[in-house]
Amino acid sequence: MVITIPAASRAGNGPRPINVNTDIPQLLKLLEDVFGEKMDDKSRRLLSTNASLSASPAFLWRLNPMASKLATGYVWEENGRVVGNATLLNTKIPGRYLVVNVAVDPDFRRRGIARALMQHLQAMARQRGARELLLQVVKDNKPAVDLYLSLGYRKLGSMTTWASSVSRVRELPLPADGDIPYRAVRELRRSEWRAAYTLDLACLHPDLNWPEPLSRDAYKTGLWQRLQDFLNGRTSETWVIAGDHRQLLGLASIWSEWGRAHRASLRVHPEWRGQLERPLLAKLLRRLKYLARRNVQIHHDDADELVSQLLRESNFRPRRTLTHMRLDLP
């Protein structure tokens, strides 16, 4: 198969590598115009924090962490104006890259700009020895999803971000007194961190954790980890339900960090789905009442209708649903 990529015209229009020295102000404006309310809180903070630096000398940008998130990739230029962008980010895993900030100005869509930028980005990734490319796209953005499918990407699943505030969360009615799973909810023991990690992998595809796969030490709570968390204003708590042979069947976690929204997660082994979600989530919501009065977010599999129903019952609302896609490069 031969893939043709539009070449830049003599007037300078078309795709070209990002120039951090000159493109940053227009890039920020483009991303804000295209994504706007669709951005998560972290992305919105990054834009607002760095917008004031857009007019600063280039060397200041190169010292700013935001530069590394914008510097590698391509823009599409029309008569001196940046109207499209696609960025490539590396990860902690060699050969694994993320495609982010794929944006085209509304006035220039349906001209093949996004496809050309993606093809250039894919060629750049190959030159860097990439084995796989991953991206997120709004689930309901059918034109974008269709574009990525036509480029060889495949869907891995969709994750919905649910949000509420601690003060507005409603507790779930507890299971009956004789319900054994609920009585078995207990704190994760320090020695069980490997089992918790294994359970998490069994419940959720690793590539559905964004931007990096789950760390092997995610549930580890040793002395050194607790000291680091204390110094950085972080806390973490995990509760589990174990089976007759002490194997972990489900878990619920809360991660808190000073000045940021609480992050919660719920994992139930595939063989026990439909049985443990309510008691685990009930425990998690009860614990939230004792934490700082901040917002709380839960990222969960969009296909899990039971948990979606329980979260609505608890006064959570869906913020956005992103489909994760992956391209394996030969």
Side-chain angles (χ1 to χ4, degrees):
M1 178 179 67
V2 178
I3 298 177
T4 59
I5 302 176
S9 68
R10 292 183 180 179
N13 295 341
R16 61 169 174 79
I18 295 173
N19 185 336
V20 179
N21 295 333
T22 59
D23 294 336
I24 294 299
Q26 291 194 65
L27 272 179
L28 290 175
K29 182 66 167 60
L30 175 67
L31 296 178
E32 186 175 6
D33 290 344
V34 171
F35 296 115
E37 295 300 323
K38 298 177 184 178
M39 290 183 179
D40 57 20
D41 294 338
K42 182 178 180 180
S43 299
R44 197 173 291 111
R45 284 197 304 269
L46 280 173
L47 277 185
S48 62
T49 301
N50 291 282
S52 60
L53 293 174
S54 61
S56 303
F59 76 91
L60 290 180
W61 264 107
R62 294 190 180 278
L63 297 176
N64 192 284
M66 184 68 171
S68 63
K69 298 182 180 297
L70 295 173
T72 306
Y74 284 86
V75 294
W76 187 285
E77 184 177 354
E78 285 285 333
N79 300 320
R81 176 185 171 192
V82 172
V83 299
N85 176 71
T87 303
L88 190 69
L89 295 181
N90 58 6
T91 68
K92 296 178 182 179
I93 301 176
R96 181 180 187 269
Y97 286 81
L98 307 180
V99 176
V100 299
N101 299 337
V102 181
V104 177
D105 186 287
D107 294 335
F108 291 84
R109 290 176 182 170
R110 293 181 175 81
R111 302 186 185 183
I113 292 177
R115 178 178 295 275
L117 290 172
M118 289 294 295
Q119 290 171 339
H120 275 76
L121 211 63
Q122 183 172 321
M124 173 184 284
R126 288 182 183 276
Q127 292 176 351
R128 291 169 177 250
R131 295 194 303 268
E132 58 189 37
L133 299 178
L134 294 105
L135 58 81
Q136 293 176 317
V137 58
V138 175
K139 180 182 177 180
D140 296 333
N141 189 347
K142 189 176 184 302
V145 172
D146 289 344
L147 168 64
Y148 300 139
L149 289 173
S150 71
L151 291 171
Y153 286 80
R154 58 186 175 90
K155 296 181 181 180
L156 301 175
S158 299
M159 298 291 287
T160 297
T161 299
W162 296 83
S164 185
S165 63
V166 170
S167 59
R168 296 189 59 189
V169 166
R170 287 198 293 260
E171 294 186 24
L172 285 173
L174 301 178
D177 292 339
D179 194 319
I180 295 177
Y182 174 71
R183 293 191 312 177
V185 176
R186 60 168 174 78
E187 288 191 38
L188 177 73
R189 301 185 181 117
R190 292 181 187 175
S191 61
E192 294 176 318
W193 64 272
R194 293 183 183 85
Y197 172 75
T198 300
L199 173 62
D200 200 305
L201 291 183
C203 298
L204 190 69
H205 192 291
D207 286 336
L208 292 181
N209 282 292
W210 187 272
E212 300 282 356
L214 184 70
S215 168
R216 181 175 175 80
D217 297 337
Y219 294 99
K220 195 172 184 179
T221 56
L223 178 61
W224 177 244
Q225 183 63 50
R226 295 201 306 275
L227 178 60
Q228 285 185 312
D229 289 345
F230 174 77
L231 295 176
N232 290 280
R234 295 192 300 254
T235 61
S236 63
E237 303 175 63
T238 299
W239 301 271
V240 299
I241 293 178
D244 296 335
H245 302 288
R246 296 186 180 180
Q247 74 274 28
L248 300 187
L249 309 177
L251 60 82
S253 301
I254 299 176
W255 289 274
S256 299
E257 188 170 352
W258 186 84
R260 296 188 178 184
H262 302 295
R263 295 182 297 112
S265 69
L266 182 69
R267 302 285 187 263
V268 174
H269 193 280
E271 295 180 1
W272 286 84
R273 285 176 184 163
Q275 304 177 58
L276 309 181
E277 288 84 352
R278 179 176 284 271
L280 284 168
L281 189 57
K283 175 64 178 179
L284 188 152
L285 298 177
R286 290 176 63 193
R287 179 58 185 145
L288 278 174
K289 294 293 184 179
Y290 297 93
L291 299 181
R293 292 295 189 263
R294 297 201 293 265
N295 292 336
V296 54
Q297 293 185 350
I298 297 179
H299 302 282
H300 199 77
D301 187 352
D302 180 60
D304 193 334
E305 297 181 0
L306 173 59
V307 171
S308 297
Q309 175 186 334
L310 293 175
L311 289 172
R312 285 193 173 91
E313 186 179 340
S314 305
N315 209 26
F316 280 80
R317 295 292 178 266
R319 289 280 298 275
R320 63 175 186 170
T321 300
L322 297 177
T323 296
H324 294 232
M325 305 183 74
R326 170 174 166 166
L327 174 66
D328 293 316
L329 299 175

